[in-house]
Amino acid sequence: MSDAAGSRPEPYVKHGGPSTPPEYFPIEAAGLRWLAAAPDGAAVVGVQEVGSHHIVLDRLKTARPTTEAAESFGAALARTHAAGAPAFGSPPEGWEGDGFIGRQRMAMRPTPTWGAFYAEQRVLPYAREAYDIHHLSAAGLAAVERVAERLRAGELDDGRPPARIHGDLWSGNVVFTPAGVVVIDPAAHGGHGLTDLAMLHLFGAPGLERISDTYAEAAGLHDGWRDLVGLHQLHPLLVHAVSHGPAYGSEAAGVARRYR
């Protein structure tokens, strides 16, 4: 989503195919606008127009990643999260119903506690689907289910309130521009802020350590937050196990065994 020439670039248009659900682009637009409404939060690509089969966005000009941009983004992301959400699992403002992560359906049902939400809407559905298509072993599923039991019981809750999260914050959705980092393509919902940071750690990103350090300071994370990154990576690993194969299922199983 970049353009190297001109100060007024043409907009960036994404079109859906015949199988694209009609709500796919509207939920993306709702998520972008909700994230953009966070006071002094992370910069978000602008939405110009949206329909059932397309979305029109501002075209971004890319730039070389810098330490300053990474640090600013980490602090801004913490402010986005601090803008909050009505509940864990709540959809972005102006949207009712479920959403998507990539092309896969993703539940958005408000839940009072993070552990129950994460187990029931983020971990177990994708683990069971991965198992059904033989991308997660029976032993791996059992390890994930044991973690889900702990999550449901509240053993892994930390009392932090629902955060306004991007939900799919891998490096491809973090664009360094001349004005700083701009985020794109969210799966925005009410969740735990560490989930966004864990996604960046899963796939890597320019300036990751500076993003992490400034985020941790601004968000007031406790000293042991890095020990919980794997827990928050279970969801994206299982999503990828469904769509990208059993190697991700094996990785998810290994992560689950650390927290069961």
Side-chain angles (χ1 to χ4, degrees), residues 44-250:
V44 180
V45 68
V47 179
Q48 298 186 17
E49 178 187 329
V50 64
S52 58
H53 299 292
H54 75 285
I55 189 170
V56 182
L57 305 169
D58 293 344
R59 185 175 290 271
L60 302 179
K61 181 178 181 179
T62 58
R64 179 179 61 85
T66 65
T67 299
E68 180 182 8
E71 291 176 345
S72 295
F73 173 59
L77 183 63
R79 293 190 292 269
T80 295
H81 291 167
F88 295 104
S90 63
E93 184 177 357
W95 186 260
E96 294 183 2
D98 294 341
F100 299 87
I101 182 163
R103 292 284 174 173
Q104 297 186 57
R105 295 273 181 178
M106 187 173 75
M108 293 187 181
R109 298 161 198 167
T111 304
T113 62
W114 177 76
F117 151 71
Y118 193 61
E120 295 165 5
Q121 297 184 47
R122 295 293 177 267
V123 172
L124 289 175
Y126 301 93
R128 289 166 178 162
E129 186 172 356
Y131 172 76
D132 287 344
I133 60 175
H134 308 295
H135 289 180
L136 179 66
S137 68
L141 177 61
V144 171
E145 288 176 335
R146 172 59 186 134
V147 177
E149 289 175 8
R150 295 192 66 203
L151 286 163
R152 283 198 187 108
E155 295 178 18
L156 298 167
D157 284 340
D158 61 8
R160 294 180 75 91
R164 185 175 307 197
I165 70 171
H166 180 283
D168 192 11
L169 200 66
W170 71 289
S171 61
N173 290 338
V174 175
V175 182
F176 283 81
T177 77
V181 170
V182 179
V183 299
I184 63 173
D185 294 351
H189 62 278
H192 194 297
L194 194 51
T195 297
D196 275 348
L197 205 59
M199 179 79 83
L200 286 174
H201 278 256
L202 181 60
F203 296 111
L208 179 59
E209 287 307 309
R210 297 311 305 143
I211 293 170
S212 299
D213 289 346
T214 54
Y215 176 89
E217 181 178 0
L221 295 184
H222 59 77
D223 290 341
W225 69 265
R226 290 179 184 272
D227 295 334
L228 296 174
V229 165
L231 178 66
H232 290 263
Q233 290 174 341
L234 267 182
H235 175 230
L237 284 170
L238 290 165
V239 168
H240 278 72
V242 173
S243 60
H244 288 73
Y248 284 102
S250 296

